[in-house]
Amino acid sequence: MRFDILTLFPAMFTGPFTESILKRAQQAGLLDIVLHDIRAYATDKHKSTDDYPFGGGAGMVMKPEVLYRALAEVLGMGAVVQAEAEVLVPLPAERPPVLLMSPAGEPFTQGMAEELAQAPRLVLICGHYEGIDERVRECCVDREISIGDYVLTGGELAAMVIVDAVARLQPGVLAAASTDEESHSDSLLEYPHYTRPAVWRGQPIPAVLTSGHHANVHRWRHEQRLLRTLQRRPDLLQRAVLSEQDREYLRRHGWGTSLLPDDPAAS
Ligand code: 6GU
C-alpha cells in the first residue's frame, strides 16, 4: 500500500516511519510512504505557503494555489495545471482517496481504518495554520478526518496516527493473530497480559494461565475483556456483538444497574 503525505514539515515524520514495524514493512516492500514538501510548490520568491484570512480574524490560511499544485503533481497532472493558470482543472475521477487532516473532520475509528486499508493508495494532506482555503477543500478533498476531540498544532501527528493504524492492517505487516482478538476490532477491550516470571516481586499471575486448561484460559480472557469494557468503556458494549452468556455475565457484574447515560441497559 502506498501513502502520499503532503506536509509543510516532512522532517516531523522521521522517527514514527523510520523505526520498528513501519520501518520493517517499508524495507519488505509492503508499504511505500512518500512525503511531499508543500513548500516546494510555492510560486513566489519567498516560498510563501500561507496568507491572511479574508474578512480578518486570527491565524493564517494555506494558499490555494500552492496546495493545489502539490496535489496535482502527486496525482500526475502537474503539467496540465502548470499550463492552465486561469482555470480549475478537476482532479482525475480515478484517483486515490484524498484525505484532509482536520479537527473538523469525521472522527477516526478502527472501522474507518479497516475501510481505508482496502485502498491501494491514499493521499493525506496535513492542514496547518487555521486551515486550508475552502475552495481547495471543495475541489480536491474526498474526506476530512479528525483523530479526536482536541486541537493539535497541525495535521502531521494525525497523519502519522492514520498511517500507522491503516498500515498495520496490511497483510504481512503484523503477525496475523495480533489483529483479530485485539482492542476495538470487535468493540471489546483487550484482556490483561502476563509474561515471566510467574511471581514478580511477590505478585503472582492469575492461576488459570498456568493451569494448562486451554478452554478455561480462553473463557477467562473473554470474561476479562467483558469486565474491562464494562468498567472502562461501557459505551462500547452498545455496538459489541454479545452472546446471551456474555450479557448474563455482564449483568452479574453490574451491567444495567448504572444510571449513567452511556449504559444502554439504564435507559
Ligand atoms: Cl486531523 N488536526 C488538528 N490540527 N487537530 C486535530 C486533528 C487534526 N484531529 C484532532 N485534533
Side-chain angles (χ1 to χ4, degrees), residues 208-225:
V208 64
L209 297 178
T210 47
S211 67
H213 196 304
H214 195 74
N216 285 356
V217 171
H218 190 82
R219 190 177 61 224
W220 179 83
R221 284 180 168 167
H222 187 64
E223 288 174 354
Q224 287 295 308
R225 300 188 70 204

Side-chain angles (χ1 to χ4, degrees), residues 15-77:
F17 293 168
T18 58
E19 296 288 342
S20 188
I21 291 167
L22 296 188
K23 175 187 182 177
R24 202 162 32 76
Q26 289 174 91
Q27 288 168 342
L30 297 168
L31 229 59
D32 192 8
I33 304 174
V34 187
L35 295 163
H36 305 273
D37 186 352
I38 294 172
R39 193 173 300 279
Y41 300 92
T43 53
D44 63 327
K45 71 167 194 271
H46 295 110
K47 296 270 172 212
S48 54
T49 56
D50 62 323
D51 205 341
Y52 295 97
F54 275 118
M60 301 292 273
V61 179
M62 209 183 280
K63 290 165 72 66
E65 183 66 11
V66 179
L67 184 54
Y68 177 65
R69 282 185 186 225
L71 210 43
E73 188 63 38
V74 168
L75 296 175
M77 49 180 287

Side-chain angles (χ1 to χ4, degrees), residues 168-195:
R168 66 186 287 289
L169 297 174
Q170 296 304 306
V173 170
L174 292 190
S178 43
T179 53
D180 46 72
E181 257 235 344
E182 71 190 4
S183 291
H184 295 293
S185 60
D186 57 7
S187 296
L188 292 178
L189 302 183
E190 268 205 87
Y191 54 78
H193 303 278
Y194 300 88
T195 188

Side-chain angles (χ1 to χ4, degrees), residues 101-144:
M101 305 301 103
S102 152
E106 295 171 68
F108 186 60
T109 61
Q110 187 63 27
M112 199 189 292
E114 285 163 11
E115 190 185 324
L116 296 175
Q118 303 306 307
R121 185 181 178 194
L122 294 174
V123 177
L124 289 81
I125 302 169
C126 303
H128 240 272
Y129 310 113
E130 290 310 292
I132 69 169
D133 188 286
E134 183 66 10
R135 294 163 294 182
V136 188
R137 194 191 62 75
E138 284 169 351
C139 71
C140 304
V141 171
D142 296 306
R143 206 157 178 186
E144 270 183 85

Side-chain angles (χ1 to χ4, degrees), residues 101-103 145-148 150-155 158:
M101 305 301 103
S102 152
I145 303 178
S146 161
I147 61 161
Y150 38 79
V151 181
L152 305 169
T153 56

